[in-house]
Amino acid sequence: MAELKLYNSLTRKKEVFEPIDTKHVRIYACGPTVYSYAHIGNARMAVVFDVLSRILRIIYPKVTYVSNITDIDDKIIAASQKSGEEISVITKKYADIYNADMASLGVIAPDIQPRATEHIADMIALIQILIAKNHAYEADGHVLFHVPSFAKYGGLSGRSHDEQMAGARVDIASYKRDAADFVLWKPSHKGEPAWGSPWGAGRPGWHIECSAMAAEHLGLPFDIHGGGADLKFPHHENEIAQSCCAHGSADDLSSFAKFWVHNGFVTVDGEKMSKSLGNVVLAHDLVKDHEGETLRLALLSTHYRKPLDWTGNAIANAKKTLDKFYKRLNQMKDMDIVDINSSKILDVLCDDLNTPLAITEMNNLLKQENSPELKSKLIAVGNILGILQHSPEKWLESKVFDGDLDVPYIENLLQQRTAARMNKDFARSDEIRDELISMGVTIEDTADGAIWKRYIVV
RNA sequence: GGCGCGGUGGCAGAGAGGCUAUGCAGCGGAUUGCAACUCCGUGUACACCGGUUCAACUCCGGUCCGUGCCUCCA
């Protein structure tokens, strides 16, 4: 059995992963807030944890992967007030689009995808426990977590209470007993969504949502908690505080989740994505212009913990790499899949998800002669990385992704060119090729006739 | 200001105390009506300064640069 090593943000070390229950591995990753389209950063998180869950499923007999949808949040309320659409309409719309876009990227749906609004009762119950244990208090219609009540607070992000106060740049609400205290429950104003609670009509804070949903669907402690690196503070720190104080041990930061896994940030052309810079790259737009596998490979060609700079070059590179793999698979299309015992690439992936090295190993594999073993190995790795899932013929004929191309017209031109070449009318033949190139289509003359495919303009 | 992360060849991107990373691009060649594809060959690297060591790009310290979080942003 392969040994999986993961970098644990909680201990800041790469550690051997040992499940709490080897028969059932439980993992949670913070999903998106559905008030708009998912961007490439959301996609990276979804793809990274999809790969992790695929690896876990190879090693362990049962894996439960939970990733939530946050469907109540101030940003959603703001979006609703702006557009005039009902909140439930907005959240349904963007949750559906998120799932469709992630599916395009080859992301297998999580086993459970809980919605925050379906777990309000669990959140209220959790808050009540925290109040009963003197970790939370009611003030001015709010319920707040009292940070000084949890001595280990800050253990994940490595900030002490005093350090945070030294760097605080936020105005402190008057009802807070301590500047670091954060909201568990907040009152709703007129027109805002509200649920009844012992503290009046209101809604939950963001952090309590994940604590409640993770506990409800996985139980505590569970094995792995994931999310984007930016969530480490305050979101994950606060989740740990809530969950350890309510259900686990206030002395043990790992009594909520044993491993914390964080994926790195995505920048665009060297800059942080932000609305003010106007450089937010949406997954929804990308999947219109590129095959999902191309985008997925581009996302996996940098190690998940490293910052990833998203450029057109990365997409073009991934596309070329996939074409190369599919070409070889096409040469081996009549070969059978056989059992393979070589697990070198799985070992590489088990070393903290070293996907770039796995891709390198795939390239090295290509130096071998065609054989059922080679084909089987490529397919096996592809199944983990979530690539090479199409039939090679389809991929190479560009049938997988037509984009906005006029396929019948292209194929007509191709036939004309073939006829011209038969008659040795190379001037006409080259003229047609130039036209196709101007449309973003390249031609390859193979032994079986000419094929075409779209190429990427960077 | 506080807490982190990172600086590898034209580009992307792994790695490791001494052993060719790899891919793309480039260059030379084979193939091709010309190309493309494919194949063969080929060059370039480890921010800076000290230290440890027989040996450091790899460990330690410092400097510079970049970047993330500290604002319910994945």
Side-chain angles (χ1 to χ4, degrees), chain A residues 416-430:
Chain A
Q416 289 182 40
R417 178 172 171 277
T418 302
R421 290 183 72 222
M422 297 275 279
N423 296 329
K424 302 217 185 290
D425 182 358
F426 297 120
R428 174 65 186 145
S429 156
D430 291 348

Side-chain angles (χ1 to χ4, degrees), chain A residues 8 31 42 52 84 111 124 188-189 216 229 234 256 299 304 332 338-339 341 364 388 392 397 407 441 458:
Chain A
N8 187 352
N42 297 292
L52 176 56
D111 298 296
I124 290 172
S188 289
H189 301 296
E216 182 66 19
F256 175 37
L299 285 169
Y304 78 93
M332 299 185 281
V338 297
D339 282 340
N341 49 17
N364 290 338
L388 308 181
E397 288 170 8
V407 176
V441 169
V458 179

Side-chain angles (χ1 to χ4, degrees), chain A residues 355-406:
Chain A
T355 53
L357 193 55
I359 295 163
T360 292
E361 292 298 337
M362 288 179 84
N363 273 311
N364 290 338
L365 232 39
L366 254 34
K367 290 170 185 158
Q368 298 178 11
E369 301 276 309
N370 288 344
S371 70
E373 286 73 26
L374 173 60
K375 177 179 179 179
S376 305
K377 284 177 185 173
L378 287 174
I379 301 257
V381 186
N383 286 343
I384 304 174
L385 295 179
I387 56 173
L388 308 181
Q389 304 293 300
H390 297 286
S391 91
E393 292 111 311
K394 263 187 130 180
W395 178 276
L396 294 172
E397 288 170 8
S398 292
K399 295 293 191 298
V400 170
F401 184 87
D402 296 332
D404 52 3
L405 294 175
D406 184 347

